[in-house]
Amino acid sequence: MAATTQCEQQTLVERLMSACGGSYAPEVRRKFFITGPQWAAAYQGQALFHAPTRQPVTPAEVIRHFARIGIGWWTTHDLDILSPEEMMTPRQDQILAGIETSLKQHGVQCSMVTCETFFSPVWAASPAGEQPEVRAYAALRLENLVEIGHRLGARFAVYWPGTLGYQIQGSVDETVMLKRYADLINAACAKDIALSRANHGATLRHCLEAKPFEPQAELILPTTDAMLGFIHSGLLQHPEMVGVNTEYLHELMWGGAPRAALARALVAGKLWHFDINDGYRLKHDVDIGVGLVNPLDWLNVLILLRAHGYNGPFNLDYKPPRTTSNHGVFQVSLPTAVDRFITLWEMAGEAIADPIISEATRALEAGAGITNINDADAVFEANKEIWTLHELIGHRLFQILLGQHRGRLFVDMN
Ligand code: GLO
Ligand code: MG
Ligand code: MG
């Protein structure tokens, strides 16, 4: 094949993208509560060992692209749109007014705002460290975030306390750090209550996001379960206002089963927000696009969420790979992530309605109908054939994933 010159490359990408087919129309994509982060779209490919590979992209550009693709909701950190010097000054109002105009112009809504408490040097020892002035500044930032949320019409505020922990063991008292962190969340909730009373509006849903490691060496709240424990610890003044933002990869990173973590949050009534992405177990936070690594697991996750009526946002918290260009981010990375999600969501609906899975499930639940339940051998003997259905269900889910339930077969007679 002939070399592809620089000016032919974008055309090639666009031609192969359309040859892939199977894209959903923007109107279809907009029907889903899929939210697009400013930081995902504008991620420049930088990391500890990586220089950036892409040019900066402004919020106005991101919002314009989201509208064209059919991502109806936009999410942002305070730091994605404001520098620390601009925060809490008249300049903040001007910048927010510009963002409101972009959102309105393109028919995109802000669904969530999140406070950066991990990147800036001031968080070196966490937002809940010993120094009262650091904590006072953190409280101001959280209260300001709530104001930004109300101003932009967001329904959710997310807190990922990535630096809530330590590098050097023994240097912090974990119980004290937890109390100090609770004080910050309490400040955000108090501000929210005051603002919503003044505006006669609803309060935000405050969602805690856990990650087991990175960037801090040891984390005080490393999993969704830890967050659920924290919410009910008695340290929060308004536990009813606080839920979780589970991230798929973050649960996988510690070796957990994301579906089980989601289930635990669901039964606690606290699964309010969901960061969708993919990656590998017991590795760092690679934030790959949804479904590219674990499509079968993803199908199962969405079966669970559909079956239990989850109606919160699906937030595309992934990082377009460094090898994808600025053009590629908006032509390939974001639309294909959205489309894989929609396909998996539709497949989840098929799995829920599948007559074979339904009959198998009903049969498993009906049991063998024997009455001598104090005889373990008899109970086993009576049920041992029905348990084969577990594997049959797994096979059926695989068939659904590959379209084989619709007759797609691979037979190479040569
Ligand atoms: C990083 C987190 C991060 C959060 C974001 C929202 O690993 O996933 O992207 O989701 O800061 O609070
Ligand atoms: Mg996340
Ligand atoms: Mg992540």
Side-chain angles (χ1 to χ4, degrees), residues 367-370 377-386:
I370 63 162
D377 285 342
V379 172
F380 169 73
E381 281 300 323
N383 283 284
K384 69 180 189 193
E385 296 301 336
I386 206 85

Side-chain angles (χ1 to χ4, degrees), residues 137-406:
Y137 175 69
L140 280 181
R141 282 283 296 272
L142 263 70
E143 288 161 356
N144 186 54
L145 179 86
V146 169
E147 267 193 60
I148 297 174
H150 277 264
R151 165 96 190 245
L152 296 180
R155 294 199 232 153
F156 300 89
V158 165
Y159 310 106
W160 166 53
T163 49
L164 193 73
Y166 53 85
Q167 303 285 354
I168 308 297
Q169 59 176 321
S171 61
V172 305
D173 176 331
E174 290 83 348
T175 62
V176 174
M177 192 175 248
L178 284 171
K179 287 190 189 114
R180 289 175 172 164
Y181 185 59
D183 289 344
L184 296 177
I185 302 297
N186 289 337
C189 289
K191 179 75 180 185
D192 190 9
I193 291 169
L195 278 180
S196 45
R197 278 198 190 132
N199 308 332
H200 305 289
T203 52
L204 300 167
R205 298 196 123 193
H206 299 256
C207 304
L208 305 178
E209 176 179 345
K211 172 154 113 166
F213 38 84
E214 195 197 42
Q216 199 63 280
E218 295 284 7
L219 275 299
I220 311 280
L221 292 169
T223 62
T224 293
D225 301 297
M227 292 299 194
L228 291 173
F230 175 69
I231 292 169
H232 297 292
S233 65
L235 294 176
L236 292 182
Q237 273 156 11
H238 291 284
E240 75 287 356
M241 291 174 71
V242 184
V244 294
N245 171 38
T246 300
E247 177 171 314
Y248 178 87
L249 179 57
H250 292 177
E251 301 303 323
L252 205 63
M253 280 167 71
W254 65 266
R259 184 167 128 137
L262 290 162
R264 294 188 292 268
L266 270 175
V267 296
K270 291 295 190 184
L271 185 67
W272 296 351
H273 207 277
F274 184 22
D275 273 3
I276 63 171
N277 53 18
D278 214 335
Y280 306 92
R281 261 201 167 91
L282 304 174
K283 300 284 197 307
H284 65 287
D285 196 14
V286 284
D287 283 333
I288 291 170
V290 55
L292 288 182
V293 182
N294 297 295
L296 185 60
D297 192 43
W298 257 107
L299 173 59
N300 281 310
V301 161
L302 295 184
I303 290 171
L304 181 88
L305 297 189
R306 270 194 87 147
H308 292 280
Y310 170 78
N311 63 2
F314 295 97
N315 188 43
L316 296 163
D317 188 18
Y318 78 109
K319 300 217 164 32
R322 298 179 76 226
T323 44
T324 296
S325 70
N326 277 83
H327 177 256
V329 167
F330 296 107
Q331 294 300 323
V332 176
S333 189
L334 283 159
T336 57
V338 171
D339 289 349
R340 286 192 303 279
F341 170 81
I342 296 175
T343 304
L344 287 162
W345 181 261
E346 296 299 326
M347 282 180 183
E350 283 190 352
I352 290 167
D354 184 69
I356 295 171
I357 296 179
S358 303
E359 190 175 341
T361 307
R362 281 198 308 274
L364 281 160
E365 281 170 2
I370 63 162
T371 48
N372 48 336
I373 53 158
N374 58 348
D375 180 343
D377 285 342
V379 172
F380 169 73
E381 281 300 323
N383 283 284
K384 69 180 189 193
E385 296 301 336
I386 206 85
W387 286 331
T388 302
L389 292 175
H390 285 170
E391 195 171 357
L392 192 144
I393 290 172
H395 175 66
R396 187 65 177 162
L397 290 166
F398 175 89
Q399 286 190 318
I400 290 172
L401 185 69
L402 268 59
Q404 291 181 319
H405 65 310
R406 295 188 173 189

